[in-house]
C-alpha cells in the first residue's frame, strides 16, 4: 500500500484514495499533487481566490497596487481566525465607510492607510461573521 503526502495538511494518505491533481511546472515537467479529498482541494482553491480578491480590493481602496508586504502580513494574521472568504466579504461590506472616514482623517502614508483599513476590519469582523452565519 503506497502512501502520499497531502499538499495542504501534510497527512499521509493511501495513494489509491487520495485526490490527484496533475500540474505542469514552468519547465514543462508534469507532476502530480495529492490531497486528502476533493473537497479539501476545492476549499483551498476557493480560499486562494478570496485571498487574491482581497488583495485587489485593498489595491482598489488605496487607488494603486500595494507593493510592500504589510497587507499580506495583516491578512495572514486575520486568517489565523477567519477564512479568506469571510475576510473578503467583511472588506466589501465596510469598504465605503472605511474610505469615507479615512479621507476625513487625512491619512497620508501607505502604511497608515493600511493600518487604518485593517483596524476597521479587525474591530468589526467578529460581529460581521456572526451576522453572516445567522
Amino acid at each position: 500500500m503506497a502512501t502520499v503526502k497531502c499538499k495542504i495538511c501534510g497527512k499521509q494518505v493511501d495513494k489509491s484514495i487520495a485526490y490527484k491533481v496533475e500540474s505542469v511546472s514552468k519547465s514543462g515537467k508534469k507532476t502530480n499533487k495529492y490531497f486528502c479529498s476533493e473537497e479539501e482541494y476545492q476549499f483551498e482553491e476557493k480560499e486562494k481566490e478570496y485571498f487574491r480578491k482581497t488583495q485587489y480590493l485593498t489595491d482598489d481602496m488605496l487607488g494603486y497596487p500595494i507593493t510592500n508586504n504589510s497587507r499580506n502580513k495583516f491578512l495572514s494574521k486575520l486568517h489565523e481566525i477567519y477564512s479568506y472568504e469571510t475576510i473578503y466579504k467583511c472588506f466589501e461590506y465596510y469598504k465605503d465607510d472605511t474610505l469615507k472616514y479615512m479621507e476625513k482623517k487625512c491619512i497620508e502614508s501607505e502604511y497608515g492607510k493600511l493600518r487604518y483599513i485593517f483596524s476597521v476590519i479587525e474591530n468589526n469582523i467578529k460581529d460581521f461573521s456572526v451576522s453572516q452565519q445567522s
Side-chain angles (χ1 to χ4, degrees):
M1 169 170 60
T3 61
V4 292
K5 188 175 182 180
C6 175
K7 287 287 186 188
I8 296 171
C9 65
K11 290 181 186 176
Q12 293 293 326
V13 183
D14 185 342
K15 191 174 182 177
S16 64
I17 62 170
Y19 182 69
K20 178 176 83 170
V21 175
E22 293 181 0
S23 63
V24 179
S25 68
K26 290 180 182 178
S27 63
K29 181 180 177 186
K30 290 185 179 181
T31 59
N32 294 326
K33 294 181 181 181
Y34 294 94
F35 303 91
C36 291
S37 66
E38 182 177 3
E39 292 80 22
E40 184 180 37
Y41 169 74
Q42 295 296 340
F43 178 78
E44 190 67 21
E45 288 298 306
K46 187 173 85 170
E47 282 291 281
K48 286 179 188 177
E49 181 60 29
Y50 276 110
F51 176 76
R52 284 189 291 276
K53 287 171 80 170
T54 305
Q55 287 180 316
Y56 295 138
L57 185 58
T58 54
D59 287 346
D60 183 48
M61 290 174 80
L62 293 183
Y64 56 87
I66 299 169
T67 57
N68 70 42
N69 201 29
S70 297
R71 169 192 49 206
N72 294 344
K73 288 179 184 177
F74 294 144
L75 283 173
S76 294
K77 184 179 177 205
L78 280 173
H79 189 331
E80 291 173 4
I81 302 168
Y82 303 101
S83 71
Y84 282 123
E85 181 178 8
T86 301
I87 295 168
Y88 173 75
K89 288 180 179 179
C90 187
F91 264 91
E92 266 193 331
Y93 186 80
Y94 288 104
K95 177 185 175 185
D96 294 334
D97 290 339
T98 303
L99 290 174
K100 180 173 69 173
Y101 290 115
M102 189 167 59
E103 189 175 310
K104 281 185 178 182
K105 290 188 174 279
C106 298
I107 301 169
E108 305 249 343
S109 72
E110 180 176 276
Y111 182 81
K113 290 177 182 180
L114 282 172
R115 192 62 235 145
Y116 182 78
I117 291 168
F118 277 91
S119 293
V120 169
I121 300 304
E122 288 168 358
N123 290 329
N124 291 294
I125 195 165
K126 175 144 177 65
D127 294 332
F128 176 82
S129 64
V130 169
S131 71
Q132 293 298 304
Q133 291 175 356
S134 15

